[in-house]
Amino acid sequence: MKKLFKSFSFSLFLFFTSILCMCFFSCATTVNVQLTRPAKLDLNGAKTIAVLPVKPYAYYREYDAHSGTELLINTFYQLFEINNPDEEAAIRTLRGEIENGLSKSPYIKLINSDEVELAQKKGYLNPADVYLIGEVSYFNIDDRVYEERKLVKAATETTAAEYIFEKHWIRDVDFRFRYQIVDSSNNCVISYSKIDCQATSDNYERRSLLPSAYKLIESKIRYAAKSILKELQPYVVTKSISLLEAKTKDKALKERMKAADELAGNSMLKKASEEFSNIYKETGLVEAGYNAAILQEALGNLSLAESMMLEVYNNCPDSRVSKGLSDIRYEIEMANRLNKQIKSSDSEDDF
């Protein structure tokens, strides 16, 4: 009986191992490419931008931020007193990350906010085409404590159970920020948005061990700054493009597809696309035609990729090909938006 069980267990092990290996080795090849995405906002060809000082929560007042330039530019040129060091650190990081990102941008020039202030006071032309203004709309730190009963000694026949009560401290942080992007030529609000950063600490035995409020939200503040930067300037993303596996019983054809797949896996994208294209022309294999076209997308040849994928779709309206065609057309749309933004910005230099 034991031998039979061992034999069954071993067979079961081999079965699942073979299934796992098949899944592992049959995974489609994925090509990673870096793409430049257009800024999420249309800044009307702005070449320069300034980030004005951020108003802390103590200076906050309620209003309908969508209604117009309620965040008057002049209110941002004063010495703000920030009593809470955690709020101060959060504001400094948020503004610093935004300014640092803009200072490295090849698409827009960062103007010192002091120059904008001077222009406002002297009545000069605003040196910044657009500016970002914002304020902390809410900031709160809440430290909570609760007691937990912990068993020290279990009950016996003659004694009762013994317990102790342990204190646990938790810190909650809530930081909210709202901002506007304003066109300096007419003070029209281009965009209004807000960010919320909340965090809760782990449990600590003493209040003095709690991490600072700033440390709890620091990563979220930096992430928020990156999100804001994506609104103001083109940014780079990494996109994964997956090839299709061949659905054929022809061993020779499978080997050809595998060889072309390996070329793509070794970053020989042009050669891989050519090989997939040859296979498609000779056999009409949908997966080969799809891979040939999608690799042209990876190479940045979007018009060629579209025409190749459209040909495959017309010959075989496969849902996978339809999805690939939609993806290529989305990239064409993004590329056109990017080119329009760059040309619009470059044209400003001609005057």
Side-chain angles (χ1 to χ4, degrees):
M1 185 67 180
K2 287 183 178 179
K3 288 184 178 179
L4 183 62
F5 179 77
K6 286 183 179 179
S7 177
F8 174 77
S9 299
F10 183 70
S11 299
L12 197 62
F13 170 77
L14 289 178
F15 173 76
F16 282 111
T17 301
S18 63
I19 292 295
L20 184 63
C21 289
M22 286 174 63
C23 291
F24 179 79
F25 289 109
S26 64
C27 288
T29 296
T30 299
V31 176
N32 293 324
V33 292
Q34 285 196 324
L35 302 171
T36 301
R37 290 278 185 248
K40 294 182 178 180
L41 294 177
D42 181 6
L43 299 182
N44 302 321
K47 287 289 292 180
T48 56
I49 186 171
V51 181
L52 304 193
V54 175
K55 284 167 62 173
Y57 181 46
Y59 297 80
Y60 169 77
R61 65 183 181 85
E62 278 288 349
Y63 61 87
D64 181 8
H66 292 88
S67 63
T69 53
E70 291 281 357
L71 292 178
L72 297 176
I73 186 171
N74 293 331
T75 67
F76 286 81
Y77 294 112
Q78 56 180 295
L79 294 176
F80 296 126
E81 292 184 8
I82 309 178
N83 297 323
N84 191 297
D86 292 297
E87 182 186 6
E88 183 178 18
I91 289 174
R92 184 171 59 249
T93 297
L94 181 61
R95 187 184 181 200
E97 287 289 300
I98 295 171
E99 288 190 318
N100 185 51
L102 291 171
S103 68
K104 298 176 181 178
S105 174
Y107 305 103
I108 196 165
K109 181 182 178 182
L110 178 66
I111 301 296
N112 192 307
S113 61
D114 291 341
E115 294 183 37
V116 179
E117 179 185 11
L118 180 63
Q120 287 286 316
K121 289 180 178 179
K122 300 290 186 180
Y124 300 155
L125 181 67
N126 197 321
D129 297 328
V130 294
Y131 51 83
L132 184 152
I133 50 180
E135 64 181 354
V136 179
S137 58
Y138 187 72
F139 182 73
N140 185 60
I141 305 171
D142 183 25
D143 293 345
R144 298 180 283 117
V145 62
Y146 70 92
E147 288 188 331
E148 181 182 26
R149 192 173 73 160
K150 184 177 181 181
L151 179 65
V152 178
K153 188 176 181 181
T156 66
E157 292 181 359
T158 58
T159 61
E162 295 181 14
Y163 297 89
I164 61 171
F165 288 88
E166 292 183 341
K167 283 187 176 182
H168 293 279
W169 286 89
I170 298 176
R171 173 163 287 167
D172 295 316
V173 185
D174 192 347
F175 177 91
R176 303 176 196 177
F177 174 77
R178 60 182 184 176
Y179 61 96
Q180 293 175 334
I181 312 300
V182 181
D183 187 330
S184 66
S185 65
N186 51 22
N187 274 345
C188 285
V189 176
I190 296 173
S191 172
Y192 162 81
S193 191
K194 58 184 178 179
I195 58 173
D196 295 338
C197 300
Q198 288 95 23
T200 299
S201 72
D202 293 328
N203 299 339
Y204 290 86
E205 293 180 1
R206 296 193 302 275
R207 189 176 189 178
S208 60
L209 296 176
L210 288 169
S212 71
Y214 168 69
K215 282 298 180 183
L216 288 173
I217 60 173
E218 180 183 6
S219 61
K220 295 186 177 182
I221 292 290
R222 295 185 186 278
Y223 179 80
K226 290 180 180 179
S227 297
I228 293 173
L229 283 170
K230 289 179 181 179
E231 297 179 18
L232 305 175
Q233 62 179 352
Y235 57 97
V236 176
V237 297
T238 299
K239 179 177 180 177
S240 296
I241 297 176
S242 297
L243 306 184
L244 296 182
E245 297 175 67
K247 292 185 177 181
T248 176
K249 294 181 180 180
D250 187 323
K251 290 185 177 180
L253 184 54
K254 272 192 173 182
E255 286 300 315
R256 287 187 67 185
M257 288 289 289
K258 182 181 177 182
D261 205 63
E262 288 176 353
L263 289 172
N266 292 325
S267 300
M268 301 172 69
L269 305 188
K270 184 179 179 182
K271 195 169 183 179
S273 179
E274 291 172 354
E275 181 57 24
F276 279 124
S277 183
N278 290 334
I279 295 172
Y280 177 68
K281 289 174 182 177
E282 295 172 20
T283 66
L285 186 66
V286 173
E287 291 82 4
Y290 176 96
N291 291 347
I294 211 72
L295 285 174
Q296 288 300 323
E297 177 191 346
L299 288 165
N301 304 322
L302 299 179
S303 296
L304 177 59
E306 182 185 27
S307 62
M308 289 173 67
M309 193 69 82
L310 185 59
E311 179 186 345
V312 177
Y313 181 75
N314 288 335
N315 292 331
C316 182
D318 187 295
S319 60
R320 298 170 299 170
V321 181
S322 175
K323 186 178 179 181
L325 185 59
S326 296
D327 184 70
I328 292 170
R329 286 174 172 170
Y330 172 78
E331 291 302 335
I332 291 174
E333 180 187 348
M334 290 296 101
N336 288 337
R337 279 184 58 190
L338 177 63
N339 289 334
K340 184 179 179 182
Q341 287 181 0
I342 294 174
K343 287 180 180 179
S344 178
S345 295
D346 288 344
S347 64
E348 298 292 320
D349 293 333
D350 299 333
F351 293 95

